[in-house]
């Protein structure tokens, strides 16, 4: 039986972040989806509604990334989930820390990463199904790596070629991308179980 994310995980994330920003005691952890729970890689993602309508409106809101941090290493959910909830909200270097006043405009996702498989080449994966991790060595013998979660390529209309080249740049590699470089990349594909909850959905459940 594979581990599945449940709405209780992003609901916990909202409760934990609100408690932290309000200087209140941390909430109890939610029931873990599988017991005993194997060590699991995970990512916590925060998004902010950018449309004029609220997240509860009948029109479809647009969401902008507000923070996303996690780990590709198998970790104990009871310790990693509380840690990455706050790290992704407050210490993503791409963004300012999330404030208490922003919470009503947010949506939180918790992704549990499963089904890791070695790829035969850097294009041996399916858009919308797999996330990928690339590893390769630069000309200075530095090991570089980067990853995209399964939804990234699909949501941004990426081709496999564009996604791989984007990941190479994301890893910090700045030299020309050659055929030999692409052939040298070691790629791992994986899938994720993801649940999203808006602030309004969390508040309705908490009542």
């Amino acid at each position: 039986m594979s581990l599945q994310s449940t709405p209780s995980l992003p609901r916990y994330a909202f409760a934990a972040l609100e408690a932290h920003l309000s200087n209140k005691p941390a909430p109890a952890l939610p029931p873990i989806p599988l017991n005993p729970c194997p060590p699991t890689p995970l990512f916590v993602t925060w998004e902010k509604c950018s449309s004029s309508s609220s997240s509860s409106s009948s029109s479809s809101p647009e969401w902008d990334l507000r923070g996303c941090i996690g780990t590709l290493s198998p970790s104990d959910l009871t310790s990693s989930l509380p840690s990455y909830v706050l790290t992704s909200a407050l210490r993503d270097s791409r963004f300012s820390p999330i404030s208490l006043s922003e919470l009503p405009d947010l949506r939180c996702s918790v992704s549990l990463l499963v089904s890791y498989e070695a790829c035969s080449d850097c294009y041996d994966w399916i858009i919308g199904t797999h996330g990928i991790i690339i590893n390769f060595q630069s000309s200075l013998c530095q090991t570089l790596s980067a990853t995209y979660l399964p939804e990234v390529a699909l949501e941004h209309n990426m081709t496999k070629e564009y996604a791989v080249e984007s990941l190479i740049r994301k890893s910090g590699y700045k030299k020309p991308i050659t055929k030999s470089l692409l052939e040298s990349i070691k790629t791992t594909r994986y899938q994720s179980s993801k649940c999203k909850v808006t602030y309004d959905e969390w508040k309705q459940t908490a009542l």
Side-chain angles (χ1 to χ4, degrees):
M1 181 178 180
S2 61
L3 186 61
Q4 299 291 314
S5 184
T6 66
S8 65
L9 301 183
R11 286 173 186 150
Y12 164 80
F14 269 113
L17 181 57
E18 183 182 62
H20 177 84
L21 295 175
S22 303
N23 295 313
K24 296 178 181 178
L29 282 166
I32 299 302
L34 190 63
N35 191 16
C37 180
T40 305
L42 83 158
F43 276 77
V44 179
T45 303
W46 296 93
E47 297 170 292
K48 187 171 183 177
C49 183
S50 61
S51 64
S52 58
S53 60
S54 69
S55 59
S56 61
S57 172
S58 57
S59 61
S60 297
E62 296 180 359
W63 299 91
D64 293 329
L65 183 63
R66 193 61 182 82
C68 179
I69 294 180
T71 176
L72 294 170
S73 300
S75 305
D76 180 4
L77 272 183
T78 59
S79 58
S80 61
L81 180 60
S83 173
Y84 285 111
V85 162
L86 297 183
T87 301
S88 60
L90 306 174
R91 289 186 283 280
D92 187 327
S93 61
R94 298 169 293 177
F95 307 98
S96 60
I98 289 174
S99 65
L100 184 62
S101 63
E102 289 181 86
L103 290 187
D105 296 322
L106 298 185
R107 179 171 70 179
C108 182
S109 308
V110 176
S111 301
L112 306 182
L113 311 186
V114 297
S115 302
Y116 282 69
E117 300 173 298
C119 297
S120 59
D121 58 56
C122 63
Y123 303 125
D124 181 24
W125 53 283
I126 300 172
I127 293 174
T129 298
H130 298 116
I132 58 170
I133 307 166
I134 63 166
N135 289 278
F136 64 99
Q137 283 197 327
S138 70
S139 57
L140 300 176
C141 295
Q142 296 175 303
T143 299
L144 301 177
S145 65
T147 188
Y148 277 146
L149 295 175
E151 64 270 15
V152 172
L154 182 64
E155 290 179 354
H156 293 274
N157 297 313
M158 295 179 178
T159 63
K160 291 182 183 180
E161 292 76 12
Y162 183 90
V164 170
E165 291 188 11
S166 177
L167 278 175
I168 292 171
R169 296 308 185 200
K170 183 181 178 183
S171 75
Y173 188 80
K174 294 181 171 53
K175 293 188 176 182
I177 298 173
T178 63
K179 180 180 178 182
S180 60
L181 175 67
L182 292 171
E183 290 175 346
S184 73
I185 293 174
K186 294 181 179 178
T187 306
T188 301
R189 66 191 183 197
Y190 60 89
Q191 299 180 50
S192 75
S193 173
K194 180 177 182 179
C195 275
K196 299 180 180 181
V197 169
T198 65
Y199 175 88
D200 288 344
E201 289 169 339
W202 166 60
K203 277 298 186 182
Q204 290 168 6
T205 304
L207 293 177

